[in-house]
């Protein structure tokens, strides 16, 4: 019976990890040789003025702190899922509540990430925005 509970906990942990990795790669990671992160696009493909670079750097620092806070809550919720599974040996209200907290934090991270992307875009001039939008469309597989 214990091995079953451990297996369920491992599966939840694995799925949670995949969700976090997907979110990171979709918005900021390097998913493949032909795909670049949003960060890379802004800093390596768009020529920023000194003022733009400073404002975007400040946005990135603020987002890094927000992201760390939400990721810490995700990790705590993931641990709580495992603890509840091991204590209850069932899909109990405690397990469901912990899973809901995890999913709420994951959703919050996604919204904060998208808000950050839009904040960076707002610092670009119209020509830079057009390029950024085209590259963003490619990142989200909506390019023609």
């Amino acid at each position: 019976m214990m091995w079953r509970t451990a297996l369920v906990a491992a599966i939840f942990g694995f799925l949670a990890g995949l969700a976090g990795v997907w979110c990171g790669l979709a918005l900021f990671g390097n998913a493949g040789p032909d795909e670049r992160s949003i960060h890379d696009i802004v800093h390596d493909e768009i020529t920023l003025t000194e003022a733009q670079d400073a404002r975007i750097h400040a946005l990135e620092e603020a987002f890094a702190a927000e992201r760390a806070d939400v990721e810490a809550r995700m990790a705590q919720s993931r641990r709580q899922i495992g603890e509840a599974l091991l204590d209850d040996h069932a899909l109990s209200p405690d397990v469901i509540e912990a899973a809901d907290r995890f999913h709420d934090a994951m959703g919050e991270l996604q919204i904060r990430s998208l808000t950050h992307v839009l904040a960076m875009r707002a610092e670009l001039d119209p020509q830079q925005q057009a390029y950024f939008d085209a590259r963003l469309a490619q990142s989200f597989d909506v390019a023609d």
Side-chain angles (χ1 to χ4, degrees):
M1 187 65 133
M2 279 299 275
W3 67 269
R4 223 171 172 189
T5 304
L7 179 63
V8 171
I11 290 170
F12 268 110
F14 177 73
L15 292 176
L18 284 178
V21 169
W22 175 83
C23 187
L25 287 176
L27 295 174
F28 302 103
N30 207 1
D34 296 330
E35 297 177 25
R36 305 208 55 210
S37 74
I38 301 299
H39 180 271
D40 291 340
I41 292 167
V42 169
H43 290 284
D44 298 341
E45 296 181 26
I46 296 174
T47 303
L48 301 173
T49 66
E50 233 177 86
Q52 285 175 316
D53 190 51
R55 288 190 305 266
I56 288 173
H57 182 72
L59 289 171
E60 289 172 335
E61 284 185 350
F63 177 68
E66 290 178 23
R67 184 176 180 172
D69 174 60
V70 176
E71 287 176 342
R73 284 189 282 131
M74 288 171 63
Q76 179 182 7
S77 295
R78 188 178 61 246
R79 282 189 303 277
Q80 290 170 343
I81 291 168
E83 290 168 358
L85 281 171
L86 293 172
D87 288 345
D88 301 344
H89 303 287
L91 192 59
S92 69
D94 289 341
V95 173
I96 293 169
E97 186 179 316
D100 286 344
R101 280 193 302 273
F102 176 82
H103 289 115
D104 289 347
M106 187 172 57
E108 182 182 341
L109 179 58
Q110 187 171 27
I111 295 302
R112 286 183 184 217
S113 297
L114 295 170
T115 300
H116 173 63
V117 167
L118 292 171
M120 287 192 302
R121 183 188 185 279
E123 296 300 332
L124 304 175
D125 67 35
Q127 183 179 357
Q128 293 168 324
Q129 287 177 346
Y131 182 81
F132 180 84
D133 291 348
R135 293 294 279 129
L136 190 63
Q138 291 173 340
S139 295
F140 283 97
D141 298 325
V142 294
D144 292 330

